[in-house]
Amino acid sequence: MGDELSEALREVLTLTQLARGVLAERLAMPLTNVEAVEHVVMARAAGEPIGPVELSRRLGVTSAAGTQSVNRLVAEGHLTRDPHPRDRRRQVLDVTDSGLEHVMGELAPLLSLIQDAGRDLDEDERAAASRYLHKVAEAYRSYLAPREEQRGRRSDRTGERAPADAGGPTGRTGRPAPPPDGEG
């Protein structure tokens, strides 16, 4: 199996997936649309505009399927689609206030429970938990990086180089993800 920390993380990740399904059900939205809103909210929080092409890539769906989700979310009032501020050929998605309220209305109770889970940790415990979670996040970022970025890096465990003929990233469909440039 693994150590207690890894097993606890695995349980949290599994429960997170289950909670996403329940959230989609409670919002009466397809899971892909919930994930789309989540990606737009996260991009907004990071100050990085996201367009339909990048959203499709992150969802692991074709640009046609991504456009269909975006059209539905815009029609339902969850998202807006506007010209990119610096490149008018591209589009930028944003979540509407009502869309954010709709999602947060269902998500807020869970977020409150998660925040409560850390209230009794002392400063050292919080620091240790934070370090661990940041390292886990970095592991995910490394795994998600395009294979080209991973070429030449040495594996911490084996000391071997990543294969030079490794393919590019794929989405949930198993098809290569569309390139991030050229938002349409």
Side-chain angles (χ1 to χ4, degrees):
M1 272 291 205
D3 64 271
E4 187 177 338
L5 198 55
S6 295
E7 288 176 15
L9 177 61
R10 212 171 5 262
E11 182 179 14
V12 167
L13 293 173
T14 299
L15 291 169
T16 298
Q17 286 300 107
L18 293 172
R20 289 175 118 181
V22 169
L23 177 63
E25 186 178 299
R26 290 180 182 174
L27 293 170
M29 292 171 66
L31 181 57
T32 301
N33 288 4
V34 172
E35 291 172 341
V37 171
E38 180 181 53
H39 283 295
V40 173
V41 168
M42 289 173 26
R44 174 199 234 185
E48 300 171 358
I50 185 171
V53 172
E54 174 63 13
L55 180 62
S56 297
R57 188 191 68 74
R58 290 184 187 188
L59 292 172
V61 300
T62 64
S63 59
T67 297
Q68 187 177 30
S69 288
V70 167
N71 289 344
R72 192 177 311 122
L73 289 164
V74 168
E76 293 171 356
H78 296 296
L79 295 181
T80 59
R81 179 178 25 212
D82 297 304
H84 191 282
R86 291 178 303 282
D87 183 351
R88 304 299 261 174
R89 296 168 298 172
R90 295 171 54 193
Q91 296 177 339
V92 176
L93 302 173
D94 200 2
V95 65
T96 63
D97 290 342
S98 62
L100 189 58
E101 287 173 21
H102 181 65
V103 172
M104 291 308 294
E106 289 296 335
L107 195 53
L110 174 60
L111 296 176
S112 178
L113 290 169
I114 291 170
Q115 191 171 24
D116 289 348
R119 288 203 198 285
D120 65 344
L121 297 178
D122 66 35
E123 192 174 315
D124 290 339
E125 291 170 321
R126 281 180 160 303
S130 180
R131 275 193 315 275
Y132 174 72
L133 292 173
H134 284 288
K135 286 180 181 182
V136 169
E138 184 55 38
Y140 271 97
R141 279 190 286 279
S142 177
Y143 180 80
L144 293 171
R147 297 273 182 165
E148 295 79 30
E149 291 178 21
Q150 295 175 4
R151 286 187 193 154
R153 290 185 189 168
R154 296 206 175 266
S155 167
D156 290 338
R157 287 197 243 181
T158 65
E160 297 175 6
R161 291 194 177 274
D165 62 344
T170 61
R172 289 187 305 188
T173 62
R175 293 186 301 270
D181 56 305
E183 292 290 322

